[in-house]
Amino acid sequence: MKKLLIVLLLFPFALYAQDAVKDTLWTTSGSTTLNFSQVSLSNWAAGGKSSMSGLFMINYAANYKKDKLSWDNSVDLRYGFIKEKDDDSRKSDDLMEFTSKLGIEAGESKWYYSGLLSFKSQFASGYNYDKDPKEEISKFMAPGYLTAALGMDYKADDLSVMLAPVTGKFTFVTDDVLSEAGSFGVDPGSKVRAELGANVRVEYKKEVLKNVTLESKLNLFSNYMEKPQNVDVDWKVQINMKVNDYLSANLITQMIYDDDVKIEDPDTGISGARLQFLESFGVGLTYKF
């Protein structure tokens, strides 16, 4: 939560920076969204449980274009929670992701020689609530992912496809306990795992209907040195539906498969690589800047 507060404190400076560059070669856009829901029950004959949940999101993009040079930067921050009656609150979503991509146009075409740098982690600790007591299974920089890629990027109005045959993927697990357990694919006791492979990154954003915008981000990574056929997949789809200037509805789905991340089956106790899936739908307040 401290990291979330730091981001919120720095957020006004981002707005100031936007005003400072709006008359230059930069194109900036961003939004903040707060979704909240509550159910309160008292002597309810049909049964049920009181609950409340919330989701806070910040999306920001700053893109530079001059002659043959382009530089695209984005920030994606999400934190959600859910609380049922007298139970402790639990997080329902947690993401911090920063991406920067620099490209030089390859002749008179839509292809660019490009380099990409991306960092992804989370704000708060995550727990396995099937264990008693609950077991901490993740936290800030456990894991943390840093990706550096070189390749070619095809850029159209609504589409970007980057093919990077030279990609370094670094997985960080800075927590001692999780490191000793070999979580997230690191060797037991190690805090960093380095992989060399190929990466495909596809980004698509388009207003498919009036006031309805579809965003899709797909990342595929294959490790040259170990099981290259087991491709890591990270695919997020977000549909934004504008009600008016301040109200909106958002549907987010995310599918992840990482062969190095072992997840325990609560029924059998067997750990293995599994398909991860997240779905979130909310209606709330949105402010665009």
Side-chain angles (χ1 to χ4, degrees), residues 27 48 51 55 87 121 129 135 166 178-179 281 286:
T27 300
S51 66
L55 175 64
D87 295 341
S121 188
Y129 290 96
E135 178 186 19
V166 180
L178 295 175
S179 171
F281 177 76
T286 295

Side-chain angles (χ1 to χ4, degrees), residues 99-148:
T99 302
S100 184
K101 181 170 61 176
L102 183 67
I104 299 176
E105 189 175 359
E108 299 297 327
S109 69
K110 294 183 179 181
W111 286 94
Y112 289 75
Y113 302 107
S114 295
L116 177 140
L117 192 65
S118 175
F119 169 77
K120 181 168 69 172
S121 188
Q122 61 191 49
F123 290 101
S125 296
Y127 297 91
N128 181 356
Y129 290 96
D130 292 326
K131 298 290 183 70
D132 188 18
K134 64 183 181 182
E135 178 186 19
E136 187 179 51
I137 57 175
S138 66
K139 62 194 309 182
F140 174 70
M141 287 302 291
Y145 297 101
L146 179 66
T147 301

Side-chain angles (χ1 to χ4, degrees), residues 183-199:
S183 299
F184 306 103
V186 301
D187 294 329
S190 175
K191 295 188 176 181
V192 182
R193 171 182 169 84
E195 301 173 78
L196 176 64
N199 180 250

Side-chain angles (χ1 to χ4, degrees), residues 216-246:
S216 176
K217 293 183 180 180
L218 173 65
N219 272 289
L220 305 173
F221 176 79
S222 173
N223 184 357
Y224 288 141
M225 311 304 295
E226 184 178 343
K227 299 179 181 179
Q229 73 277 11
N230 293 352
V231 177
D232 295 341
V233 180
D234 187 347
W235 186 16
K236 188 187 83 169
V237 176
Q238 182 169 336
I239 300 176
N240 302 313
M241 294 162 279
K242 178 181 176 181
V243 179
N244 56 37
D245 289 341
Y246 299 103

